[in-house]
Amino acid sequence: MRKRLKLDRLAQWVLALCAGVLVVCIAAVTSMVFSRGMATFTVNGIDPVSFLTGTLWHPDRPISEGGPLVGALPFLVGSVLVCSLAVAVGFSFSLAVAILMTEIAPSHAIARWLQSLVELLSGIPSVVYGWVGLS
């Protein structure tokens, strides 16, 4: 019993150390991303409003021509449109499959097959779908 207690305490210390290292790593990555992102506004002198509303993207434009231009509006609008389209397509298919499985053919073999397929696909992380889509 005493040996098990010592082993449990050792495991607690190891897990606490791992959690501490994880917190430090996350804080380091967050601070690095934040400092590099803020450098765009502080070092390059980019106005945050022009960054969010600008449409030109020339980050390597020389100082003699007025310095870098970074407008993120096309990227933001594109992201919103792509996400909206994905939600519309996904919602349509999922609603159709749900209606088929519950109302049209609840005891049919195709409903059991679709249920198995939906359960299988829901177990795959979305990152994998993104990687497949990119490939």
Side-chain angles (χ1 to χ4, degrees), residues 39-52 66-71:
T40 301
F41 303 113
T42 57
V43 175
N44 297 333
I46 304 295
D47 179 38
V49 174
S50 68
F51 173 74
L52 291 173
L69 279 174
V70 286

Side-chain angles (χ1 to χ4, degrees), residues 9 16 21 30 36 41 47 60 83 86-87 102 104 107 115 117:
R9 287 195 181 205
V21 168
T30 302
R36 297 274 173 97
F41 303 113
D47 179 38
D60 54 351
C83 288
V87 167
T102 58
I104 298 173
S107 61
Q115 182 177 358
L117 183 66

Side-chain angles (χ1 to χ4, degrees), residues 18-134:
C18 290
V21 168
L22 183 64
V23 167
V24 168
C25 288
I26 289 173
V29 167
T30 302
S31 76
M32 184 199 69
V33 168
F34 182 77
S35 68
R36 297 274 173 97
M38 288 306 294
T40 301
F41 303 113
T42 57
V43 175
N44 297 333
I46 304 295
D47 179 38
V49 174
S50 68
F51 173 74
L52 291 173
T53 59
T55 58
L56 297 176
W57 187 263
H58 300 290
D60 54 351
R61 190 171 80 160
I63 302 287
S64 61
E65 294 179 15
L69 279 174
V70 286
L73 187 63
F75 302 116
L76 296 173
V77 170
S79 296
V80 168
L81 290 176
V82 167
C83 288
S84 300
L85 180 66
V87 167
V89 170
F91 178 77
S92 302
F93 279 117
S94 62
L95 185 64
V97 169
I99 290 171
L100 175 72
M101 289 173 57
T102 58
E103 299 295 328
I104 298 173
S107 61
H108 198 269
I110 195 164
R112 289 190 300 273
W113 182 80
L114 276 175
Q115 182 177 358
S116 299
L117 183 66
V118 167
E119 289 172 359
L120 174 71
L121 293 176
S122 68
I124 299 173
S126 60
V127 173
V128 174
Y129 291 125
W131 178 75
V132 169
L134 261 163

